[in-house]
Amino acid sequence: YATTGWLSASAATLLAEFQLHTVATTIGDQAITEIGDGTANERYGVYQATGDNLLYGYVYDGGSLDMNSLVAGAMSVNTTYKGGIALSANSGIAAKNGVLSALDAAFAMPTVTTLAIGATATNASPMAGAIRRVSYLPQRMPNAQLQALTS
């Protein structure tokens, strides 16, 4: 979905309420939601990773993975989760069900144009599951508020 008119270039909070119907250990990474530029070079979002079955918040800028923060606690199939990421330059954190990742303090905000739900903006890493809600806020929510929004 095009983001013209409502997307902030300097800060963002991206949230999703979702269920997985299978885990990434069997099918590969599952992108839950992402905002990107239609390439793999400029994007941010949340995904469930192959191998460890955890939720990650990530940022790619200039083709480089600048943030990849994991949230503790393996995910199970057919369980509802609330996850998200809050970002501004040099300040990013991910959350799942009220648990925060470590703060990442060394990245630039990517240049983005497109919202993707259930896959990446390049239509890769499709999610096998259901998404109940995606929310975007054009500001970086404080850590405590992100924690509350995902509880």
Side-chain angles (χ1 to χ4, degrees):
Y1 302 97
T3 57
T4 305
W6 55 265
L7 183 71
S8 169
S10 61
T13 300
L14 183 61
L15 304 164
E17 187 173 351
F18 62 94
Q19 287 185 352
L20 301 173
H21 294 166
T22 187
V23 293
T25 54
T26 59
I27 66 167
D29 291 349
Q30 297 187 76
I32 294 150
T33 187
E34 175 180 281
I35 297 180
D37 70 346
T39 75
N41 296 328
E42 301 281 323
R43 56 196 175 117
Y44 58 82
V46 291
Y47 75 102
Q48 188 239 336
T50 299
D52 61 19
N53 196 25
L54 301 174
L55 186 77
Y56 286 78
Y58 62 91
V59 174
Y60 280 85
D61 182 53
S64 172
L65 180 61
D66 290 344
M67 175 184 159
N68 198 32
S69 297
L70 71 91
V71 182
M75 292 189 284
S76 302
V77 298
N78 301 321
T79 301
T80 300
Y81 294 98
K82 292 180 181 178
I85 188 169
L87 305 167
S88 61
N90 298 319
S91 180
I93 196 163
K96 180 189 75 200
N97 288 4
V99 176
L100 297 173
S101 70
L103 179 71
D104 190 311
F107 65 89
M109 287 294 290
T111 303
V112 295
T113 59
T114 305
L115 169 66
I117 299 171
T120 67
T122 61
N123 205 26
S125 302
M127 178 187 153
I131 297 177
R132 180 176 293 165
R133 178 179 302 117
V134 171
S135 302
Y136 168 82
L137 303 161
Q139 58 188 328
R140 190 216 187 275
M141 290 288 115
N143 297 352
Q145 192 165 3
L146 178 65
Q147 191 170 26
L149 288 169
T150 60
S151 292

